[in-house]
């Protein structure tokens, strides 16, 4: 089954404690991206990656890091989380050719105390 | 100033009617336009993409793009209660899914 998986699905942490949210896709997609969703603000793109070792900033990259060492994985790293990073996070992937559909993961709900 | 604007709704339509969802964007160089549907508590799912002026139809859905007016819309014909969701408009300045800017979404409620 084609899917994008994210872990963990729910996370409560404290300010300053480094965390990583993993994202993995099994569709051999070149393109992956991270979004955060906040009430009234919609989805905002954090980072995206066109392929292995190729990443670029989205709309709200401050406070986040990403890496793309393997095609299937695109982890989101919060080096020093702060309460304003409390949000719902989505990972997404798509092919850059052929099927243009963008597939979203199930989301990770993060609470930073 | 928001770059992609949508009416937050809720837009309430009776079952079987046409639902019309609208979106305006501020950047004239925008190249790709997308409509997503998001059910409460679920992930967004892409339902339509459009790249050139005019209409694009897919089943009960029609996307309309007018670049001169910086306006993109989504029509849902024969609306069903299962269409009740939040519809997100998204615009890319560079093409594809790069630099994707989303509107805050319009909540659609289809009542029997």
């Amino acid at each position: 089954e084609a899917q994008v998986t994210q872990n963990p699905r729910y996370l409560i942490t404290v300010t300053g404690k480094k965390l990583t949210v993993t994202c993995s896709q099994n569709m051999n997609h070149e393109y992956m991206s991270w979004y955060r969703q906040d009430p009234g603000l919609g989805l905002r793109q954090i980072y995206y990656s066109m392929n292995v070792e190729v990443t670029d900033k989205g709309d709200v990259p401050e406070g986040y890091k990403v890496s793309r060492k393997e095609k299937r994985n695109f982890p989101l790293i919060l080096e020093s989380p702060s309460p304003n990073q409390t949000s719902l996070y989505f990972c997404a992937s798509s092919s850059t050719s052929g099927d243009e559909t963008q597939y979203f993961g199930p989301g990770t709900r993060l609470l930073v105390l | 100033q928001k770059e992609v604007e949508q009416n937050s709704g809720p837009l309430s339509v009776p079952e079987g009617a046409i639902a019309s969802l609208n979106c305006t964007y501020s950047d004239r160089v925008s190249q790709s336009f997308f409509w997503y549907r998001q059910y409460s508590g679920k992930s967004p799912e892409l339902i339509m993409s459009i790249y050139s002026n005019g209409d694009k139809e897919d089943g009960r859905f029609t996307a309309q793009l007018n670049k001169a007016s910086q306006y993109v819309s989504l029509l849902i014909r024969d609306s069903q209660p299962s269409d009740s969701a939040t519809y997100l408009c998204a615009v890319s300045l560079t093409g594809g899914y790069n630099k994707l800017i989303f509107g805050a979404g319009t909540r659609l409620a289809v009542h029997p």
Side-chain angles (χ1 to χ4, degrees), chain A residues 59-87:
Chain A
D59 203 29
V60 288
E62 296 79 19
Y64 304 95
K65 285 177 57 177
V66 292
S67 68
R68 188 89 181 274
K69 292 181 170 33
E70 304 168 281
K71 199 172 186 179
R72 64 181 292 127
N73 296 323
F74 191 43
L76 179 69
I77 303 158
L78 284 72
E79 294 269 2
S80 183
S82 62
N84 64 13
Q85 292 178 298
T86 291
S87 188

Side-chain angles (χ1 to χ4, degrees), chain A residues 4-55:
Chain A
V4 179
T5 57
Q6 294 178 229
N7 282 293
R9 295 289 313 280
Y10 304 91
L11 179 60
I12 301 174
T13 188
V14 295
T15 299
K17 187 175 181 181
K18 181 179 178 179
L19 67 91
T20 299
V21 183
T22 64
C23 173
S24 183
Q25 49 92 5
N26 63 359
M27 295 165 279
N28 201 36
H29 284 164
E30 296 86 5
Y31 185 89
M32 299 183 74
S33 59
W34 276 103
Y35 301 88
R36 60 177 290 174
Q37 187 171 34
D38 302 288
L41 295 178
L43 281 159
R44 290 180 292 170
Q45 192 175 50
I46 303 171
Y47 270 96
Y48 63 91
S49 170
M50 296 290 289
N51 214 323
V52 175
E53 302 292 0
V54 181
T55 63

Side-chain angles (χ1 to χ4, degrees), chain B residues 38-65:
Chain B
Q38 187 174 25
Y39 293 111
S40 180
K42 300 295 184 183
S43 312
E45 53 181 326
L46 181 70
I47 52 175
M48 291 286 286
S49 60
I50 187 166
Y51 303 101
S52 54
N53 280 329
D55 295 359
K56 179 180 178 182
E57 187 174 317
D58 184 0
R60 296 187 296 114
F61 299 97
T62 299
Q64 300 174 317
L65 175 61

Side-chain angles (χ1 to χ4, degrees), chain B residues 21-98:
Chain B
L21 302 158
N22 304 315
C23 173
T24 58
Y25 58 95
S26 59
D27 200 313
R28 288 192 171 275
V29 301
S30 299
Q31 297 188 22
S32 307
F33 307 84
F34 305 90
W35 282 101
Y36 293 79
R37 176 176 61 201
Q38 187 174 25
Y39 293 111
S40 180
K42 300 295 184 183
S43 312
E45 53 181 326
L46 181 70
I47 52 175
M48 291 286 286
S49 60
I50 187 166
Y51 303 101
S52 54
N53 280 329
D55 295 359
K56 179 180 178 182
E57 187 174 317
D58 184 0
R60 296 187 296 114
F61 299 97
T62 299
Q64 300 174 317
L65 175 61
N66 184 326
K67 289 187 176 182
S69 300
Q70 295 174 239
Y71 176 95
V72 57
S73 65
L74 179 70
L75 301 178
I76 306 175
R77 289 182 298 281
D78 188 24
S79 296
Q80 301 297 310
S82 59
D83 294 326
S84 298
T86 297
Y87 289 80
L88 306 171
C89 171
V91 172
S92 172
L93 301 180
T94 59
Y97 297 108
N98 299 343

